[in-house]
């Protein structure tokens, strides 16, 4: 995927493309008349954007703990994701430590994740001023895992397996099924020399 076709930011478009290909295979089942079948498929696919956006912004409202209707058009969510990208902040660690911060947990290292402390402080003030969802700390805790299957850990597991050592795989398999439980071995972002620059669908 050298051109970023399946990059994270392109997933919505690629998902729509995949659904369109699926719809094409189902046309004979939709109607005996090919033109009628096409119109039925187009009508169903036209609903995708609205359904996707509702789910997308709904999930990020939960991750940020903000209430319904408190971010018209998702402008705060979009600005937050833009800030994280510019500051090269790890998404998983950010949302997890924001959850800890929201709950008053002093273990949070939220500020340390950002290169620009001033920009972060400005963002944090904006977040704190946002209307929160009812029980927002619990909502955030349920929406923000700390363990995800990170590429560099998957690569380490694969290399160990090549050597006949399946213990790292077993530890990772046990960790990823409990994504909300802290696990020092699997929760950290990669160091510079651990970043996996090329990966594949089969990974």
């Amino acid at each position: 995927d050298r051109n970023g076709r399946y990059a994270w930011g392109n997933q919505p478009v690629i998902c729509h493309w995949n659904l369109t290909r699926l719809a094409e295979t189902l046309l004979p089942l939709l109607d005996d008349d090919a033109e009628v079948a096409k119109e039925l498929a187009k009508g169903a696919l036209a609903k995708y954007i609205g359904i996707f956006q509702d789910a997308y912004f709904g999930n990020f409202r939960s991750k940020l703990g903000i209430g319904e209707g408190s971010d018209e058009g998702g402008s705060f969510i979009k600005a937050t994701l833009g800030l994280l990208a510019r500051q090269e902040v790890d998404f998983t660690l950010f949302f997890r430590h924001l959850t800890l911060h929201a709950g008053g947990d002093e273990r949070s290292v939220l500020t340390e994740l950002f290169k620009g402390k001033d920009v972060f402080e400005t963002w944090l003030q904006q977040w704190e001023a946002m209307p929160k969802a009812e029980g927002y700390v619990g909502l955030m805790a349920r929406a923000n895992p700390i363990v995800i299957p990170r590429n560099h850990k998957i690569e380490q597991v694969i290399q160990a397996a090549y050597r006949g050592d399946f213990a790292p795989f077993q530890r990772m398999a046990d960790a990823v099924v409990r994504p909300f439980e802290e696990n020092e071995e699997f929760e950290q972002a990669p160091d510079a020399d651990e970043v996996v620059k090329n990966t594949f669908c089969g990974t």
Side-chain angles (χ1 to χ4, degrees):
D1 187 26
R2 290 191 171 95
N3 297 317
R5 176 182 172 87
Y6 298 101
W8 188 84
N10 292 335
Q11 289 294 301
V13 175
I14 289 300
C15 183
H16 187 267
W17 186 87
N18 285 337
L19 289 172
T20 302
R21 302 291 78 77
L22 174 62
E24 289 171 352
T25 68
L26 298 176
L27 290 178
L29 302 177
L30 299 181
D31 198 278
D32 291 336
D33 186 314
E35 290 306 314
V36 172
K38 286 179 184 177
E39 290 306 313
L40 289 171
K42 286 179 182 177
L45 289 166
K47 299 175 184 177
Y48 166 80
I49 294 176
I51 293 171
F52 177 87
Q53 286 187 338
D54 287 347
Y56 179 87
F57 289 121
N59 285 337
F60 274 109
R61 278 195 297 272
S62 296
K63 292 177 79 63
L64 289 163
I66 58 180
E68 290 281 342
S70 61
D71 185 24
E72 198 63 39
S75 57
F76 180 73
I77 291 170
K78 292 173 186 173
T80 298
L81 296 178
L83 175 66
L84 296 180
R86 289 190 301 277
Q87 291 280 307
E88 299 180 340
V89 175
D90 184 271
F91 275 28
T92 302
L93 293 179
F94 167 77
F95 284 111
R96 179 63 170 203
H97 283 284
L98 180 64
T99 303
L100 293 176
H101 172 83
D105 192 326
E106 293 182 0
R107 291 175 302 161
S108 172
V109 294
L110 193 56
T111 309
E112 296 171 23
L113 298 176
F114 288 79
K115 298 174 182 176
K117 309 306 180 192
D118 292 342
V119 244
F120 167 68
E121 289 299 333
T122 300
W123 178 89
L124 187 61
Q125 290 172 13
Q126 294 170 346
W127 176 78
E128 289 174 341
M130 294 287 290
K132 301 297 189 294
E134 184 177 352
Y136 72 97
V137 176
L139 181 66
M140 293 171 70
R142 293 188 296 274
N144 294 320
I146 184 59
V147 174
I148 61 170
R150 293 181 178 275
N151 284 337
H152 71 296
K153 287 298 181 182
I154 292 173
E155 182 63 21
Q156 291 170 13
V157 163
I158 291 172
Q159 294 306 319
Y162 282 145
R163 299 190 299 271
D165 180 6
F166 291 91
F169 166 77
Q170 192 57 61
R171 291 198 304 274
M172 186 172 198
D174 291 342
V176 296
V177 296
R178 292 193 292 273
F180 298 96
E181 294 181 16
E182 293 181 4
N183 186 313
E184 188 174 347
E185 181 179 4
F186 294 106
E187 66 187 49
Q188 296 304 320
D191 292 331
D193 62 339
E194 294 178 313
V195 173
V196 176
K197 294 185 169 54
N198 295 298
T199 187
F200 308 92
C201 296
T203 304

